[in-house]
Amino acid sequence: MPGSGTIDPVPAAAGQAQDATNGPPTITRKITACVACRKQKIKCHMKDAQPPCTRCKKRGLPCTVNRSLQMLLENDNVWKGKMERRIDRIEAVLRAGAAGDGNTAEILRLLDGDQDSADDTTMVADVGDDTTMMSEEPENHRVQPEPLKENGHTGNNWSIVMDLDSGPGSLPGFYISQGESQARRASCNDIISRGIITLEAAQSYFDAYQTRLDHFPYRILGDMEARTLEYARSSSPLLVAAVSTVGALHLASPDYQSCCAAFLSQCASQTFSKDVNIDDIRALCIGAFWLGEVAWTLVGTAVRMATELQLHKSFFKALHGDKKAYRNARLYYLVYICDHHFSIPFGRPPLTRQCEAIRSVRKFLDCPHSTDYDGRLVSHVLRWSVLSDAVDSFGVDVNRPLSDADLPALRRYNISMDTLRAEWMERFAPSPHIGNYPRKGVVLQYHFSKLYLCSHAFRGSATRAARTQTQSPEVTMELDEIANGAVRAAMSILRSVNADEELQSFFDGLPIYFGTMLAFSIVFLLKVSSKYSSFIQVNSSEILPLIEDTLTALEKVTSKMHRRHLLVSMTKGMRGLVQKVKNQEALGPLPAAGINSSNTQPSLQDPTLSMAADSSDVMGMFGEPANNFFMGTYDFLVDQADLSEFM
């Protein structure tokens, strides 16, 4: 019979023989034909008993030989022995820990020391191959063993949803959905169980964050009483890492660097994960608000996750009393604010746009579950909505001067800011956690917004003489008035900080956006007062003492802060800038800029006026590299305020 020579006949009893050393059963049946030839029941000719066979090689077919049952039994026996030894070691370690002879770190170290060897890994892979090849495949199709999955996800895990109840007006993507994710990550993956920080330290960081820091950005953790460390550990290891990192930073703890490294590592592992929940988004927002160097990356991931979870659609159910939808909509507003903190000031188009939930944000206060914190949240969304409209109207090209047609829009945006301040300033009562910040924060953010809007008057590279030739006197005068409004806003910011010790204390807790805007105010005034006092209403002799008073207040605040806090580097950088300006003045007065001056005004990239100092200079001043990214990357902090050829 064809193919009869492919399997050596043996007595039945031989297949049931047992090794005397309690090894696997001895089976002597040897498979020498490949899968394709066995399927066709034909003779399989292999050179040196190694695939490919003559037929498969000639036809270009995959040639594989099923492993013998003997090999399968041997691998199974090796695996069982290995697992028995591993279980014995685990039991011994646990017994030692229970007897007080070891701690959690020692247990983890001993367990981690028993990693799979290369031979064991190869053996497991072989078993997987054997299991796959137990079934017969068609000649033209070989099923590859499925690779191990991370969190149960592959690159293509989509399903088609055929919902006949949905109408033809449904969105196209409604019919394609992502496959179901597997179980949530266990709390054993958090930084506490991994031994990076102790449970006591994590609790102190969580308490520091929840009792003070979380109240500045309108309570990211929400209003649930269950927002405890235990809840965070069971819900999101990423949230535990984020809160611990920010808490350690503001407690000036030596754990900050290890917590931050662990947090960023977990963020990287979550980038392509579909296994996310709203607490993961909260974690990303917390990191973005206070960790400046990675803020934009975290914001982008938070926006992607929020839209994938459809948080922007929760607004409609929230209006009808759905508490879960209320929390989701509230979180989306926080993502919106966080996104705008790190997009508009950097000259980036925001990732979150003016959807219906944003345009109708005032209705959110009518939700049955709304609180006083929601009023602050809504006022902040309204403010950023105006600034977002300004970006859409004027664009991000800081070299293009405003045209006559742009002035009515700029006038409307300034009026909107004045209206928002009048509407919200007196609505907020003092907080038991952050004092009078709810009211004072409205005023401070109002001045920030006015400074941003009015600084548009400095856009473009045309000289004042050139503008008077292309613009009417009325337009030129209005631009002058808008420019003066930017100066008034910057000076109001510094005066508020200098005169209010309570406001100074807030900076050791406020998100980094506030520090960067304060830095911009200082640099802006230095540039304007040194070059444009002839037609800008500013007292140059008043500016430098005002700035030095502000720096003195900031140095007092930052003296107790962690050296890695962004405000510490900012304060050092601004102090170095002021010293450079004073040295320049000692050498002689800078050339004044008259109304008819054209190209005599130096560029703002002049090293005497730039915060982006040469690295060697920075090392000389501070002994370590200062983080001056806010002058190197902030679009309107540098380029938009380019006064080198103003009017």
Side-chain angles (χ1 to χ4, degrees):
M1 180 176 180
S4 59
T6 60
I7 301 180
D8 296 337
V10 295
Q16 302 174 357
Q18 183 76 16
D19 192 281
T21 61
N22 200 28
T26 301
I27 300 176
T28 59
R29 293 168 60 90
K30 290 186 62 178
I31 300 175
T32 59
C34 71
V35 174
C37 292
R38 290 184 63 200
K39 182 176 178 63
Q40 298 296 324
K41 293 182 171 50
I42 60 177
K43 185 72 174 180
C44 183
H45 299 281
M46 290 188 185
K47 185 177 181 180
D48 299 328
Q50 296 294 325
C53 67
T54 304
R55 178 174 177 272
C56 291
K57 183 177 181 180
K58 181 178 179 181
R59 300 192 177 195
L61 300 175
C63 185
T64 57
V65 180
N66 282 351
R67 298 182 186 272
S68 66
L69 185 57
Q70 179 69 29
M71 296 179 66
L72 297 178
L73 291 173
E74 289 175 354
N75 286 339
D76 182 73
N77 192 64
V78 171
W79 180 83
K80 287 180 179 178
K82 174 180 175 296
M83 295 308 298
E84 288 174 355
R85 293 191 298 274
R86 184 178 178 86
I87 291 173
D88 290 341
R89 282 193 292 271
I90 292 175
E91 291 177 348
V93 170
L94 293 178
R95 283 194 297 271
D101 297 331
N103 53 31
T104 303
E106 179 66 13
I107 293 175
L108 292 173
R109 185 186 68 79
L110 292 174
L111 292 178
D112 290 340
D114 187 33
Q115 299 296 326
D116 293 344
S117 65
D119 293 338
D120 293 335
T121 304
T122 304
M123 180 272 296
V124 173
D126 288 342
V127 173
D129 290 345
D130 297 339
T131 304
T132 304
M133 296 304 298
M134 287 298 290
S135 59
E136 300 282 346
E137 309 97 341
E139 287 186 29
N140 59 351
H141 180 67
R142 177 183 176 186
V143 178
Q144 297 291 338
E146 183 177 273
L148 295 176
K149 301 176 183 178
E150 184 70 21
N151 291 332
H153 296 294
T154 59
N156 296 287
N157 191 26
W158 297 92
S159 60
I160 305 299
V161 180
M162 304 302 293
D163 185 3
L164 298 181
D165 294 332
S166 61
S170 299
L171 298 174
F174 180 78
Y175 299 98
I176 301 179
S177 64
Q178 187 71 28
E180 294 292 332
S181 64
Q182 294 189 2
R184 286 290 304 159
R185 290 149 284 150
S187 62
C188 61
N189 292 326
D190 64 33
I191 61 176
I192 302 171
S193 299
R194 290 159 57 193
I196 297 175
I197 57 174
T198 64
L199 178 62
E200 293 75 15
Q203 187 65 60
S204 67
Y205 302 147
F206 194 91
D207 293 341
Y209 175 82
Q210 182 165 248
T211 56
R212 183 168 186 264
L213 300 175
D214 198 42
H215 296 269
F216 286 116
Y218 328 114
R219 296 192 69 178
I220 300 175
L221 294 181
D223 59 351
M224 294 178 59
E225 295 298 331
R227 298 298 179 197
T228 61
L229 179 59
E230 291 74 19
Y231 170 86
R233 296 189 69 186
S234 64
S235 175
S236 170
L238 190 63
L239 182 60
V240 178
V243 172
S244 298
T245 300
V246 174
L249 175 64
H250 288 83
L251 291 179
S253 169
D255 289 335
Y256 166 70
Q257 290 183 327
S258 57
C259 289
C260 186
F263 171 62
L264 296 181
S265 176
Q266 286 184 304
C267 289
S269 66
Q270 282 289 94
T271 300
F272 295 101
S273 175
K274 300 296 181 182
D275 181 19
V276 298
N277 63 15
I278 60 174
D279 289 315
D280 295 326
I281 300 174
R282 288 189 172 95
L284 293 170
C285 288
I286 290 171
F289 273 123
W290 281 281
L291 306 178
E293 295 181 356
V294 294
W296 181 241
T297 303
L298 299 179
V299 166
T301 305
V303 172
R304 189 262 297 175
M305 289 183 178
T307 51
E308 284 186 354
L309 294 182
Q310 305 287 303
L311 297 189
H312 57 291
K313 295 183 178 180
S314 302
F315 169 76
F316 308 103
K317 290 184 178 180
L319 296 179
H320 293 90
D322 188 321
K323 191 165 187 178
K324 180 180 178 181
Y326 158 77
R327 294 187 182 121
N328 291 347
R330 194 178 191 281
L331 180 58
Y332 182 74
Y333 289 137
L334 283 165
V335 172
Y336 176 88
I337 292 170
C338 190
D339 172 31
H340 283 64
H341 270 198
F342 299 99
S343 58
I344 290 179
F346 287 84
R348 304 165 178 149
L351 300 175
T352 49
R353 305 300 296 166
Q354 308 288 74
C355 63
E356 187 173 354
I358 301 300
R359 294 193 301 269
S360 305
V361 66
R362 290 181 184 274
K363 296 181 181 178
F364 188 68
L365 297 178
D366 298 331
C367 293
H369 307 290
S370 63
T371 65
D372 292 339
Y373 284 92
D374 295 333
R376 295 172 52 205
L377 182 67
V378 168
S379 69
H380 208 21
V381 172
L382 291 171
R383 189 173 65 87
W384 280 112
S385 297
V386 175
L387 299 182
S388 184
D389 289 338
V391 171
D392 293 338
S393 298
F394 309 132
V396 294
D397 183 7
V398 297
N399 295 317
R400 182 185 69 84
L402 296 182
S403 64
D404 294 2
D406 292 327
L407 289 182
L410 183 55
R411 194 183 305 118
R412 288 195 303 270
Y413 298 143
N414 275 292
I415 293 174
S416 296
M417 284 299 167
D418 295 337
T419 303
L420 288 175
R421 179 190 182 184
E423 177 183 359
W424 295 96
M425 181 177 175
E426 303 299 333
R427 292 184 60 169
F428 304 127
S431 167
H433 303 280
I434 52 177
N436 291 307
Y437 171 76
R439 182 179 60 83
K440 294 179 179 180
V442 171
V443 179
L444 192 61
Q445 294 179 43
Y446 162 78
H447 291 312
F448 289 162
S449 301
K450 292 286 286 188
L451 176 57
Y452 169 72
L453 287 174
C454 294
S455 65
H456 282 73
F458 296 103
R459 281 193 169 191
S461 58
T463 64
R464 183 183 181 90
R467 285 195 172 185
T468 56
Q469 296 176 2
T470 59
Q471 295 175 340
S472 64
E474 292 80 6
V475 171
T476 303
M477 291 179 62
E478 185 165 2
L479 283 174
D480 286 348
E481 180 58 30
I482 294 173
N484 285 318
V487 174
R488 289 193 296 270
M491 295 188 69
S492 296
I493 293 169
L494 300 192
R495 287 170 177 162
S496 298
V497 173
N498 296 348
D500 194 334
E501 292 187 0
E502 184 184 29
L503 188 58
Q504 295 171 17
S505 68
F506 296 152
F507 279 91
D508 185 13
L510 284 170
I512 58 175
Y513 165 75
F514 293 82
T516 53
M517 290 302 301
L518 182 59
F520 172 49
S521 304
I522 292 175
V523 177
F524 178 85
L525 288 175
L526 280 175
K527 294 177 178 180
V528 172
S529 63
S530 62
K531 300 299 177 184
Y532 305 99
S533 58
S534 59
F535 51 86
I536 298 296
Q537 297 175 3
V538 57
N539 186 350
S540 300
S541 62
E542 179 187 4
I543 294 299
L544 198 58
L546 182 64
I547 292 175
E548 289 189 315
D549 289 345
T550 304
L551 291 179
T552 300
L554 289 178
E555 287 167 346
K556 180 181 178 181
V557 171
T558 58
S559 62
K560 300 179 181 179
M561 295 171 65
H562 196 288
R563 68 179 185 88
R564 299 290 296 176
H565 196 288
L566 189 60
L567 191 60
V568 175
S569 293
M570 287 183 173
T571 303
K572 290 181 179 180
M574 289 184 285
R575 175 61 75 182
L577 173 62
V578 170
Q579 187 60 46
K580 279 192 172 186
V581 173
K582 293 173 69 175
N583 293 341
Q584 181 67 34
E585 289 182 349
L587 296 176
L590 294 174
I595 295 180
N596 296 324
S597 64
S598 57
N599 296 323
T600 60
Q601 300 168 7
S603 167
L604 288 182
Q605 299 307 319
D606 188 317
T608 63
L609 297 177
S610 176
M611 285 292 289
D614 182 80
S615 58
S616 60
D617 294 337
V618 176
M619 287 290 290
M621 285 190 290
F622 309 131
E624 61 181 8
N627 188 347
N628 291 315
F629 85 96
F630 58 96
M631 284 305 302
T633 57
Y634 262 54
D635 181 271
F636 78 89
L637 299 192
V638 178
D639 298 320
Q640 181 169 302
D642 190 350
L643 314 179
S644 59
E645 294 181 339
F646 174 68
M647 295 189 178

